[in-house]
Structure formats: structure tokens, C-alpha cells
Amino acid sequence: MTPTDLPIYELESALLASLEEQGRVVVSAPTGSGKSTQIPRMLLRHGLLNTGEVIVLQPRRLAARMLAQRVAQEEGSALGEIVGYQIRLESRVSARTKIRYVTEGILLRKMSFDPTLKGVSVLVFDEFHERHLHGDITLARAKQIQATIRPDLKIVVMSATLSADTLVKYLEPCSHIESVGRSYPVDISYLTRSPNFDREGVWDVATQGAVDLATKTDGDLLVFMPGAYEIGRTVSALESHRALKGFEVFPLHGELAPERQDAAVRPGTGRKIIVSTNVAETSLTIAGVTGVIDAGLARMARFDSRRGINTLLIDKISRASADQRAGRAGRTQAGQCLRLWSERDHADRPAYEKPEVHRVDLAESVLTLKASGIDRIDTFPWFEAPEPAARERAEQLLADLGATESHGDRSITEMGKRMLKFPAHPRYARMLLEADQRGCAKVVALMAALTQGRNFLLRDVSGAIDRARDERWGNEESSDFFRLMRAWEYAHENRYSVEACRALGVHAQGARQVGPLFAQLLKITEKEGLSLAEAVPDSEICKCILAGFSDQLARRLDRGTMRCELVHNRRGVLARESSVQEAGLLVAAEISEIEGRGGELNVLLSMATAVEESWLAELFPDDLRETNTVIYDEDTRRVIVRRERRFRDLVLESKATAGVPPEDAAARLLAIRVQSGEIKLKTWTEAVDRWITRVNCLARFFPELEVSPLTPEDRLMLVEQICLGSFGARELKDKPVMPVLKDWLRAEQLAVIDDYLPERVELPNGRRARITYGEQGSPILSARVQDVIGLTNAFTLGIGRLAVRWELLAPNQRPVQLTDDLDGFWSGAYRDVRAQLAGRYPKHNWPPVASD
């Protein structure tokens, strides 16, 4: 089959017409239809790239390179000439390049430094349904650029599974064209139970699945695994299984050399098994595959709140991703798919992956946007807006790192622009910049690699392992990072031997995964020309950690416990196993929230580094300040002045002074304690609360009197006035309250409150009855039944304008009836009430009802 036979060519005319008319088009086409390779070729062939190039965004580096190579072959040119690719740390392009495949971060950074996109005619967003954060943001920026300075720019968005309606509406005016593609049926089967891959290797389960599937289909097999390590183990298991000797086995993932990646997708002479990450799920079509074994796992970017960074963690894929993977078996003929989980497990999986904008840290993307001149992130036209709390967290972190200003719109600083040169989380970009000044970038690169995956240094180990660690690594008092580094070096020296690692409580697989990332980070530091010296004092390395985690600086509250106070008004407890137990000031690279008894959250600080206060002045001089602060001292129960030294909002030292606090500030602090009940005013009795309620009723029932109701805020303000001139709880104890409260009313309002809304009224028999007022409803007059005999509804308050509710009491003052209609009570309910009360209280006079 030639490329022009692919289903996507059904849309060629509609695509060109849409781009000519509106400049924006959404293409819906299933995997294998040819959209990733052929749409760029259509643009080239029909002259849309005569004055510029097409940039094709790919979510993955491996796919970008391999698609570029395939299209270059189809165009009959060398890779890097007409067709090229550009990914992090690698580029094959030239002045002649017209079709450039790039990863999403590359284009977003290009937009930051060249918002006009000079030399770019068309942007193609491939696999947009995967909803990567960079893809979302880059599309929004492209839309802005096209609508303002580049109306000639064309935008194509391609998706295999995403519902197009929302996307088309977002891009209006925009066309939508769709290809149904061509595929064959795939028979999907499940395991009877979902395996526990923590106890049995996923590679062993997959190998058995391949043995079963090999007899049910005559084509090649494709095995999906979450990462390079699992792929390596699976390849070994497949190659050693006797029943699969006729197959050639190939790994396929981004860490392989290009020639090994090419070998995996190149047509062979015999049957083969390709073991791949999810790069083969959508972006690449591998010819000849008729069987898929799916582990149902993938490495997914998620914000790790403990470390304050994004991490790649293994998680279950969605049902939509599983369907994409299964469809790989039906490209050329009917196929088979075995899912290594149960049918019940499948039903419990989410329909789609949650978009990255809702599950990763936004700091790096926000910094890139600010570099483009977009300071107001809250008004940015997101395709799907992040949660405000996540956006604010990112902005606060960037300000803490010095990447943006700490005030106003938080525009980018020179430091922030330098940090953008590193394709790493801003925390580690800031650490690497600091490390360059101190000659320890290699060590910091290792630290960054150590924290990206699972913690491979096991906690809560036996006493024997603890002693073995001390003998091997010695005592460490500066930083938990140093012990982690020594643990990795030990595992690396022992070639990640499971036995050797177990002896010191090291998770061998987790330690193994550090190496490739460390090598990648070293490559970045070398490219940027950073100093890679290693023989530097530990204190210089610790300063780099502080530079990246200054927002997690903590001060020990006391020496007797591990309790700490942190920046941004947080509290936590230093982990028992931390090596910096004696530090008064520390920075925690991990903060965990652990639910304790009764649902209480305990905040645990780990991966800690001891810090000296002088380092704060050295690295963050603008964030250190001394101020006089007025506080309420809990011990003396007085308002005092303290001289405080602060790092941002964290108090490093506080000393009482002999100064007299300002009266208004003292009154405000005392009033807050009065409102909370911490300080009692002897003269603030229930009668005061009743008076306030009557004032509010006066305002509600008689608006012509123009009385302002007393809100909670007003009450606090009045309490402040009562407290004015006092500095401690003892002085307030007997202070009069009513003179201040009565000033709330004008003289004429105060003169009529008892007439309009009295607290008690005299009944015809001379007894006085209590009236209760509430914030809602009518006043309630409480009186014994025998005291109101003969009274009617004509009894009112407020100079005859306000009816009351009657709470009728027995002789023992307990309520027996609540009514709005006293006349109706006498003619109705009184008969039963009289019979009941006369039996209990025979000595009282109970006149008969009217009909008796």
C-alpha cells in the first residue's frame, strides 16, 4: 500500500479549503489513518509552505524523531534536509527544512523568545487528545498570536479520540473534518483476576500472555510496558522462553539509541515481538502487528505534593487508552488483544485520562508564559483553565525562587529568564544556577535525579540494617540528600545487585532508574557550560538546596520535640529518621500530609537539610527584614511589642521590647480575643446581647426610625472601642460596655427603644410578662395562661403596630401552647389545655371556655 492509499487522503480537499477559508481546522481521524505523516506532506505539496515551514507538535521525543525519519524517506530526502526534527538536546534540521517535528516544550519556548514565529507558516498539533499541559498552553498561545500579529498563520489540530465539539468551539471560527479510517475487528480478552505486580513481575505475566497469543494469530506481537526497566525485563523473559524461540524480540522506548529504535519498527523477515512504552499507542503505526499484550500501565506526569515537583509515576491507563492500544492489532487484518487485568478492573478505570492541566505543577509553564510577556496568568485564554489554587501555588513558588517579582503582576525577572534555559522543573533550574556559581553542578544534577522517582532508600528498616548503614556511610548531620547520594553510589558500584542492596535497605530497581536521568541532566549542564567540579564543601551544596526549596524553610519550635514552623504559615514535624535532628533551621525537600487518628492531618518533613541563617542573607537578602510587631502574648495575656527578624513570613527570632503598643492596634488584638471568648468582659451579660437584638429588631420592624442594624463586623468594631486604652485582659475585666453600645443609636432612637420594644410589659392583672426578640420572626410574649385570661389579639407592641406571638405557660412556667391567634386559642385549644392544667393544678382558678 502506498502512502496515498491511506484513509486520511479522503480529507485532502476539505483540509485545504478549510485552511484557505478560516485558517483553523480540527481533524478527527483514528490511529493508523496516516494523519501524522501525510497531512504535513499535503501542506508541502500544495504550496502552503512556500514562505515558511510547518511545525508538527508531538507529545513524545521518540515519535517526533521516527515520524520525521519516515516522512523524510517518503519525500526521498535525507533526514535533516526537507524533513527534520527537534527535541530536547537533539536537533536534525537545516535551512532547507520545511517539515519540522518537535516536542511540545520546544515550540512553547520558541514562542517565548520569538512570539512572531518568524518563518513558520503552519502549526500542526498532533495527538491533541492526550491533553498534555504544554500542548494546551501552546494551542492557546498560537490562537493569540494568530488573532493579533500573525493572521496568516494556519492552525491544524489533530485528535484520535477527543470529542471535537469543545475544541471547535474554542477555536471558532474553525472547521471540523473527520475520517472514519479503516480497521479490522480485534478480539479482546482479559485475565480472570488482576495480578498484583508488586508480588509477581509484570514481565512474567506478559510473557505467558505472549505464549498464549502467539498461537492465536500469525502476525507480529506488540507488548505495552510502562517504562524502560520493565521493557528490559520483559525482553529478557520473552527471549528465554522456549515456546517463543521463533520470534525476534525488540525493545522500543525513548532511551534507546536511534538505530535500535529503527530496528524495532523496520519490517522483518520473520515474526517478531516489539515491547514498547505508550509511544506505540497512537503516534507510531508498526506494520504487521496482529496481536497486542497490554500491561495496562503507563508512566504519567503528576504533581507530587510531597516534593513540590512533577514526577513520572506508574499508574493504570484509562479505558480510552486501552482501546487505542487494542486497535493496534487491527490495522491490516483481524487481530487479538490480551489485557493483563480483569474485566471488572477495566470497568472501574476512568473513561479518559485526566488532562495534565489538572494533575501537574504549573510552575514551569507559567514561567514560560511570563517570558512571553503574559503576566496576568488568570486572564490567559486556557483551553481548559486550571484550578485557581494550583495557579496561585505556581505563581507563589516562582516568586519564592526569584523567577518572578513578588508583587503586582509578578513579571519575570532576569533570574527567571536564565532558569528557562534549563528544561527542568524551576526548583532544579534554580539549584543548577546556584550550583554553577559554587562549582557543584554535577552534584546538584545527581540530587535532582535522585528525587524524580520513588524513594529507593527504604524507611523503617531493622536495627541491623541501620547499623550496617552507619558502618558503611557514617553519620551525617548536614543533609538527608548526602545519605541518599551515598546509597545510590553504593547500589551503582554493586551493579544494582538485589542481594547487596537488600543488605542496606536499598530498593535496587528504584536506584537503577536514577542513572539514565542523571546522565541526561549532566548532558544539559554540559551543554549550558556549567561548572562540574566535585570537590566543594558540603555547605556550598546545601546552599544550592536552599535556593531550590526556600519556600519550605522550617524553624524548630523547641529542642524537646521535632515540631517546626514553616514559611507560608505552616507547621510540621521533622521525620524521626532525618539526619539533621540537631538543626535549629532547616529546609525540607519533601512535605507529606499523613492522616492520623480522628482524621487529623500530621505534616511530616523529610529529605531535610540543615541551614544557617547567614545563608538566607547571602541568597535572599531582600526577603530578610526586622520589624516591630504588635502581638497578643498568650502567657502574660497582654498586647506587647516584639522586635522580630523574619524570612518572608517565617519568624526567625522574636524579642519583647519596652515599647508601648499603639492603642488602636492593641484594641484590635484584644477585641479579637473577646470575640473568640478567650477574654471575658464581666459587664457583657446576656442583657447586652438582648439589647443588641432589640436594636436589630427596631431596624427591621420600624425602618422609618433609620436605625442601622448591628452586623458581626459592627460588633467587632464596637468591642474595639470598648478595648481602646487597654493593653491586657485584666484591664478589660470590669470595663463598662453599655455606654459604648448606646452610642450606636442617636438620642431620639435611644429614647423610643423601650417604648417600641420593651423587655417586659405589664398585664391587666398587674403581673409583668417577658418578651423575647429574635433576629427573625415576631416577638414572643411569655405569660401564664391564668394571667392573660380575657386578653385578645388587640394586645400589640410598637405603639399598636406590632403583633406578638403568645407563649402560654403552665403555673410551673413551662410552655403549653405557642400561638399567633389568642382569640382562636380561647375558642379552640383552651378547652383541652384547661382540662389538662386543672387536673394538675386544682388550686388555681381555671375559668370555663365561652361555650361551657
Side-chain angles (χ1 to χ4, degrees):
M1 183 174 71
T2 64
T4 53
D5 293 326
L6 290 167
I8 197 66
Y9 277 93
E10 302 166 357
L11 305 181
E12 185 172 14
S13 298
L15 172 70
L16 299 171
S18 297
L19 288 176
E20 180 66 29
E21 288 178 23
Q22 292 153 330
R24 300 176 183 175
V25 60
V26 172
V27 178
S28 297
T31 301
S33 60
K35 61 184 184 300
S36 302
T37 57
Q38 302 310 307
I39 283 184
R41 296 187 68 202
M42 295 177 194
L43 300 174
L44 178 65
R45 189 166 57 254
H46 289 279
L48 274 75
L49 308 181
N50 288 344
T51 59
E53 64 179 337
V54 56
I55 292 183
V56 186
L57 274 80
Q58 279 294 323
R60 298 178 183 83
R61 291 176 294 159
L62 188 153
R65 189 192 70 79
M66 300 193 80
L67 287 169
Q69 181 167 296
R70 182 174 299 179
V71 174
Q73 290 172 348
E74 292 176 358
E75 286 293 323
S77 71
L79 183 62
E81 291 295 310
I82 295 175
V83 184
Y85 69 91
Q86 185 178 356
I87 60 179
R88 187 171 67 179
L89 305 177
E90 190 177 342
S91 178
R92 292 285 296 275
V93 294
S94 66
R96 295 184 57 211
T97 299
K98 288 294 184 180
I99 299 174
R100 184 192 304 237
Y101 287 85
V102 305
T103 44
E104 296 162 328
I106 297 292
L107 180 57
L108 188 55
R109 287 172 182 271
K110 179 177 176 63
M111 288 174 164
S112 299
F113 299 111
D114 177 22
T116 65
L117 293 180
K118 183 180 179 181
V120 179
S121 296
V122 185
L123 294 178
V124 174
F125 295 79
D126 198 9
E127 312 297 354
F128 190 76
H129 61 272
E130 295 193 14
R131 298 299 312 283
H132 288 245
L133 177 59
H134 277 144
D136 278 17
I137 293 177
T138 308
L139 179 61
R141 282 291 292 131
K143 180 183 171 185
Q144 281 185 321
I145 292 169
Q146 186 194 53
T148 54
I149 55 179
R150 283 293 310 278
D152 60 312
L153 185 68
K154 311 295 185 188
I155 299 174
V156 180
V157 185
M158 306 195 299
S159 174
T161 63
L162 184 70
S163 173
D165 294 344
T166 305
L167 189 55
V168 171
K169 185 176 181 180
Y170 174 73
L171 290 172
E172 285 180 344
C174 176
S175 297
H176 176 217
I177 57 178
E178 186 171 8
S179 170
V180 295
R182 291 194 293 271
S183 62
Y184 293 86
V186 175
D187 181 27
I188 298 175
S189 56
Y190 297 85
L191 299 182
T192 54
R193 64 171 184 86
S194 292
N196 183 340
F197 292 135
D198 288 332
R199 290 203 295 264
E200 51 186 323
V202 64
W203 41 85
D204 293 328
V205 180
T207 298
Q208 187 55 54
V211 171
D212 295 341
L213 214 58
T215 60
K216 298 178 180 179
T217 180
D218 56 2
D220 296 336
L221 303 182
L222 175 60
V223 182
F224 283 102
M225 284 286 153
Y229 175 75
E230 293 82 8
I231 288 175
R233 293 294 299 265
T234 306
V235 168
S236 297
L238 291 168
E239 287 178 333
S240 61
H241 201 287
R242 189 180 309 167
L244 300 172
K245 290 299 182 184
F247 286 87
E248 194 171 4
V249 184
F250 296 93
L252 181 60
H253 57 82
E255 296 171 21
L256 291 173
E259 56 271 17
R260 295 192 67 193
Q261 295 172 354
D262 296 341
V265 300
R266 188 184 303 124
T269 55
R271 295 183 74 184
K272 64 180 179 179
I273 303 175
I274 304 100
V275 189
S276 174
T277 59
N278 55 2
V279 69
E281 182 179 310
T282 55
S283 304
L284 297 175
T285 297
I286 304 173
V289 171
T290 57
V292 166
I293 298 98
D294 186 3
L297 303 171
R299 290 192 180 277
M300 299 183 191
R302 296 192 186 281
F303 176 62
D304 187 335
S305 59
R306 295 182 303 120
R307 306 176 197 184
I309 59 172
N310 292 326
T311 56
L312 284 172
L313 301 176
I314 295 177
D315 207 347
K316 294 179 180 180
I317 62 172
S318 67
R319 298 197 301 271
S321 292
D323 289 343
Q324 287 288 309
R325 293 180 176 189
R328 289 313 200 177
R331 296 270 70 88
T332 57
Q333 65 181 68
Q336 298 279 333
C337 173
L338 172 61
R339 291 173 173 166
L340 304 183
W341 63 92
S342 69
E343 204 161 359
R344 181 175 180 178
D345 181 1
H346 185 74
D348 291 338
R349 296 186 177 214
Y352 295 94
E353 310 294 355
K354 182 184 288 187
E356 277 192 355
V357 72
H358 294 310
R359 57 181 167 89
V360 302
D361 178 48
L362 305 174
E364 186 176 358
S365 298
V366 168
L367 184 61
T368 307
L369 288 174
K370 287 183 179 288
S372 303
I374 300 170
D375 292 327
R376 291 290 306 276
I377 303 300
D378 56 331
T379 61
F380 183 67
W382 302 87
F383 174 56
E384 188 172 340
E387 297 297 326
R391 189 191 68 234
E392 177 55 34
R393 182 180 64 219
E395 295 222 50
Q396 182 64 61
L397 173 59
L398 293 175
D400 288 341
L401 293 174
T404 64
E405 301 291 351
S406 59
H407 54 273
D409 288 340
R410 293 176 170 171
S411 56
I412 193 169
T413 62
E414 286 303 314
M415 172 73 75
K417 292 174 183 176
R418 291 180 63 203
M419 287 165 61
L420 270 179
K421 294 181 179 179
F422 298 92
H425 190 279
R427 288 191 186 277
Y428 291 102
R430 179 69 178 86
M431 286 175 64
L432 286 167
L433 285 177
E434 195 65 36
D436 185 37
Q437 295 182 21
R438 304 179 186 280
C440 54
K442 184 175 182 179
V443 179
V444 170
L446 175 56
M447 286 181 170
L450 290 170
T451 59
Q452 301 303 301
R454 65 183 295 176
N455 192 336
F456 57 82
L457 190 59
L458 302 180
R459 294 171 176 167
D460 299 322
V461 294
S462 67
I465 290 178
D466 255 339
R467 289 189 293 274
R469 286 176 174 178
D470 290 339
E471 290 174 9
R472 180 82 188 190
W473 302 324
N475 292 324
E476 177 54 61
E477 297 180 356
S478 299
S479 175
D480 295 329
F481 272 104
F482 294 147
R483 173 159 281 210
L484 194 62
M485 289 166 62
R486 294 189 180 105
W488 179 78
E489 288 165 353
Y490 166 81
H492 184 66
E493 290 166 1
N494 285 275
R495 300 180 180 275
Y496 308 102
S497 160
V498 173
E499 291 76 16
C501 289
R502 186 183 294 123
L504 291 183
V506 175
H507 191 284
Q509 179 183 339
R512 181 192 300 273
Q513 293 171 352
V514 171
L517 184 57
F518 179 34
Q520 189 180 59
L521 288 171
L522 274 182
K523 195 172 181 180
I524 294 172
T525 56
E526 289 172 353
K527 182 184 177 186
E528 294 297 330
L530 270 62
S531 172
L532 298 177
E534 295 183 63
V536 295
D538 287 353
S539 61
E540 295 301 287
I541 300 170
C542 291
K543 289 176 185 177
C544 298
I545 300 171
L546 171 61
F549 290 90
S550 64
D551 61 312
Q552 296 182 177
L553 181 73
R555 179 179 66 86
R556 289 277 292 279
L557 290 174
D558 50 63
R559 290 290 180 179
T561 69
M562 298 290 106
R563 296 185 308 125
C564 299
E565 195 168 41
L566 289 89
V567 171
H568 301 318
N569 298 309
R570 295 167 293 172
R571 287 200 172 190
V573 178
L574 181 64
R576 290 194 310 273
E577 68 270 15
S578 176
S579 58
V580 297
Q581 301 279 333
E582 299 303 315
L585 204 59
L586 56 97
V587 63
E590 291 187 12
I591 299 182
S592 309
E593 287 188 346
I594 302 171
E595 189 171 337
R597 294 179 180 177
E600 180 184 358
L601 281 179
N602 299 316
V603 179
L604 187 68
L605 313 180
S606 51
M607 284 305 295
T609 299
V611 170
E612 295 181 16
E613 190 175 325
S614 60
W615 301 353
L616 301 175
E618 182 182 347
L619 271 68
F620 302 97
D622 294 339
D623 292 333
L624 270 174
R625 55 190 175 276
E626 287 195 2
T627 58
N628 282 337
T629 304
V630 179
I631 66 164
Y632 178 78
D633 185 73
E634 304 287 349
D635 295 329
T636 63
R637 301 188 74 203
R638 291 187 60 81
V639 177
I640 61 172
V641 178
R642 296 191 75 90
R643 185 68 176 171
E644 290 184 345
R645 188 165 67 254
R646 290 174 175 260
F647 176 74
R648 297 173 187 156
D649 60 357
L650 176 64
V651 177
L652 301 176
E653 186 181 39
S654 179
K655 292 181 179 179
T657 71
V660 178
E663 283 193 352
D664 56 346
R668 192 174 307 114
L669 290 173
L670 290 172
I672 291 171
R673 268 69 188 180
V674 171
Q675 286 288 76
S676 69
E678 195 175 334
I679 295 177
K680 304 293 184 185
L681 296 179
K682 207 173 190 180
T683 58
W684 192 299
T685 62
E686 290 184 9
V688 174
D689 290 323
R690 292 198 302 269
W691 188 85
I692 290 174
T693 302
R694 282 200 293 154
V695 168
N696 288 346
C697 285
L698 200 65
R700 179 157 57 98
F701 293 129
F702 308 104
E704 72 277 6
L705 295 178
E706 298 180 346
V707 173
S708 298
L710 274 160
T711 66
E713 293 77 16
D714 296 328
R715 285 181 64 144
L716 181 61
M717 183 263 294
L718 289 172
V719 175
E720 283 186 33
Q721 291 185 30
I722 294 167
C723 296
L724 199 63
S726 299
F727 298 95
R730 181 175 295 180
E731 299 165 38
L732 283 174
K733 185 179 177 182
D734 298 313
K735 203 160 189 181
V737 167
M738 284 308 298
V740 172
L741 294 184
K742 286 184 176 180
D743 281 345
W744 183 259
L745 299 179
R746 298 196 304 268
E748 59 273 22
Q749 295 168 337
L750 189 61
V752 301
I753 187 170
D754 288 333
D755 295 330
Y756 277 64
L757 299 176
E759 280 201 280
R760 291 184 177 271
V761 294
E762 187 172 325
L763 300 174
N765 65 357
R767 289 186 177 272
R768 293 178 62 79
R770 184 184 74 250
I771 301 176
T772 304
Y773 299 91
E775 295 297 338
Q776 296 179 342
S778 301
I780 297 175
L781 190 153
S782 301
R784 295 186 307 168
V785 174
Q786 63 265 40
D787 292 336
V788 296
I789 291 173
L791 291 184
T792 69
N793 289 343
F795 188 94
T796 56
L797 300 175
I799 316 179
R801 291 171 48 190
L802 184 61
V804 298
R805 298 192 78 192
W806 293 88
E807 183 185 50
L808 302 175
L809 311 175
N812 65 352
Q813 300 296 317
R814 290 187 177 178
V816 294
Q817 188 75 23
L818 184 66
T819 180
D820 294 310
D821 182 8
L822 194 58
D823 292 341
F825 170 73
W826 297 128
S827 62
Y830 177 61
R831 180 189 300 273
D832 294 333
V833 169
R834 174 177 177 270
Q836 177 186 356
L837 296 180
R840 289 185 183 178
Y841 307 98
K843 294 182 180 181
H844 290 266
N845 180 33
W846 300 106
V849 295
S851 60
D852 285 353

